[in-house]
Amino acid sequence: MDAKRLGIYLNDHLAGSVAGIELAVRTETENRSNPVGRYLSAFVPELRHDQSILESVMQTLELKQDPLKTRAAWVSEKLGRLKLNGSLVRYSPLSRLVELEGLCVATEGRLSLWRTLARLSARDTRLAGYDFEALIARGETQQAALQHLRARAADVAFADEPAPFGSTEPVIANL
């Protein structure tokens, strides 16, 4: 296995996890009173757990973390907030939709990471102690929940008369 390329790959995913967690926290904060916020309140700790597993994998494989990449990802997520959302000073229904789409894309990236590591674990016994299949299953469940919320956010964002996101809808736990 090419350790240099693997280190770059894992550091890219670690940086992505930093940006993804920041995005999820922001989205949760802006949506506390609706199903998006309620779902993300459980999702964010799962993201942090996944990030710690990735860091552990890197330690196991004796790959160094690149702090410059993680800092750049943090800054990039903050800069990504500076976009037109149809409302100059407030969070808008379009903000929610775009952020959920970002979380869907990030989750797909995380699923790819776990699938790649699952394949590599067949060749590298150092990875045998990680349950990548469970991480994949959880990621697929998360993706289904996020896609459901994203679809609902699209309905709200593009309605002729936008209504609140449905604070009476149930929390999506295990779709």
Side-chain angles (χ1 to χ4, degrees):
M1 208 168 12
D2 187 305
K4 182 178 179 182
R5 286 194 302 260
L6 184 58
I8 292 168
Y9 176 76
L10 295 180
N11 269 294
D12 287 349
H13 276 280
L14 183 59
S17 75
V18 168
I21 289 169
E22 290 297 315
L23 176 60
V25 167
R26 171 185 163 63
T27 308
E28 176 197 2
T29 299
E30 293 291 341
N31 290 279
R32 285 209 169 114
S33 65
N34 66 49
V36 172
R38 291 192 293 274
Y39 176 75
L40 293 179
S41 70
F43 180 66
V44 169
E46 291 174 349
L47 290 179
R48 288 191 172 116
H49 181 250
D50 284 6
Q51 184 182 63
S52 71
I53 291 170
L54 176 54
E55 291 169 337
S56 175
V57 165
M58 292 177 76
Q59 287 176 341
T60 297
L61 297 174
E62 299 176 358
L63 300 170
K64 293 184 179 182
Q65 292 183 24
D66 184 342
L68 184 58
K69 277 189 182 184
T70 54
R71 279 191 222 112
W74 185 88
V75 169
S76 294
E77 190 281 329
K78 302 298 182 226
L79 291 173
R81 295 176 183 188
L82 301 173
K83 60 189 171 294
L84 297 177
N85 64 7
S87 177
L88 291 177
V89 294
R90 292 187 331 261
Y91 192 81
S92 82
L94 190 54
S95 301
R96 179 185 305 112
L97 174 59
V98 170
E99 289 171 358
L100 285 167
E101 287 178 349
L103 292 172
C104 288
V105 170
T107 298
E108 190 60 41
R110 203 163 17 91
L111 281 165
S112 293
L113 165 70
W114 299 140
R115 289 176 180 133
T116 297
L117 288 172
R119 289 179 62 85
L120 293 177
S121 70
R123 293 185 285 170
D124 192 325
T125 57
R126 296 176 295 174
L127 296 173
Y130 295 95
D131 190 352
F132 296 116
E133 296 304 321
L135 292 165
I136 292 166
R138 184 172 73 179
E140 289 170 344
T141 299
Q142 292 166 337
Q143 185 71 298
L146 289 167
Q147 285 292 352
H148 174 81
L149 291 168
R150 184 209 51 79
R152 178 70 181 109
D155 292 343
V156 170
F158 301 120
D160 288 332
E161 296 291 326
F165 192 84
S167 57
T168 60
E169 292 180 33
V171 175
I172 298 169
N174 295 315
L175 293 180

